[in-house]
Amino acid sequence: MYSSTVVVRLCKRAADTKAASCAAMMHETKLSWLEQTSVVMSAPGISAITFYRGDERQAFNILQSRAAAIISSNPWLGGRLHKDASGDFCLRFPAQPSLSDHLASMSVPALHRGMELGAMRGLLADTLVSAGLHSYGGNEPLFLISLVQMQSDEFAIVVSLSHAIADGHTFYQLYGMLDSQASVNALDAQREPHFTKPALANYIGNDWLK
C-alpha cells in the first residue's frame, strides 16, 4: 500500500473475562465438496465498492452499527479456514467474533471514481480478502468492511467476502443488510448434505464438471 494510506482498526476487544470466554467457544462447519475444489479455493474474494458524498463520520457510525448486527447474527463471518481430522476444509468460528477484525477505516486520497480498475485494486489491497488457499491456516479475516476516506467530502465503502465460504447470492444478501432500513438476517452456515457432485452433474451436466 502507499505510504499515504493510514489504516485504523476500530472497536477494541472487550476486556470482560466472561465475554471473552464466551467468544472463545468455537464452532465448526465442513465446507461442501465444491467449495473445496481448487477452482473455488483459488478464486479471489467477492468484493464491491460503492462511492458516496457526505459526512463520512456519520456514515461510519451507521456502518459500525450495521456491521456489528450482521456479524452478531452471522458469527460464521468471523471464521477462519482450517482442515479437520479427515483432511477436509472447514470453517472454524467463535460464538462471538470481534468486530475489530472485520471493520476498518482508512484514508486513500489518491482514490477517485474514474480510475482504472487495476490501479484501484492496488490502492485498496488492504480492503480485499485473500483467496481461500492463501488464507488457509492463517488468521486473515474472510469478511471485511472498510470505509475509505477520499478527497473533500467523498468516501467509499468496500465490502469483501471470501469465495471459499460464500457465493455471490450470499454476498449480496449481506451487502444489502448494511442498509439502515434493511432487516438483519441470520444465514445458516451449515452446508446442504444433498448438494453432492452427482446431484450437481444431474442439474448442469457432466461436461461442466470435467
Side-chain angles (χ1 to χ4, degrees), residues 3-48:
S3 59
S4 60
T5 300
V6 180
V7 179
V8 181
R9 295 290 179 183
L10 303 160
C11 312
K12 293 183 178 179
R13 297 178 185 273
D16 182 80
T17 304
K18 184 176 181 180
S21 176
C22 182
M25 295 175 59
M26 302 299 289
H27 300 269
E28 189 173 282
T29 183
K30 179 180 175 180
L31 299 186
S32 71
W33 68 269
L34 181 60
E35 291 170 316
Q36 297 191 55
T37 61
S38 59
V39 172
V40 175
M41 291 296 292
S42 60
I46 308 168
S47 305

Side-chain angles (χ1 to χ4, degrees), residues 15 19 29 32 38-39 62 66 78 86 109 131 135 145 148 151-152 166 176 193 204:
T29 183
S32 71
S38 59
V39 172
I62 296 173
R66 300 302 293 182
S86 63
S135 57
I145 303 172
V148 183
Q151 294 186 6
S152 185
I204 64 174

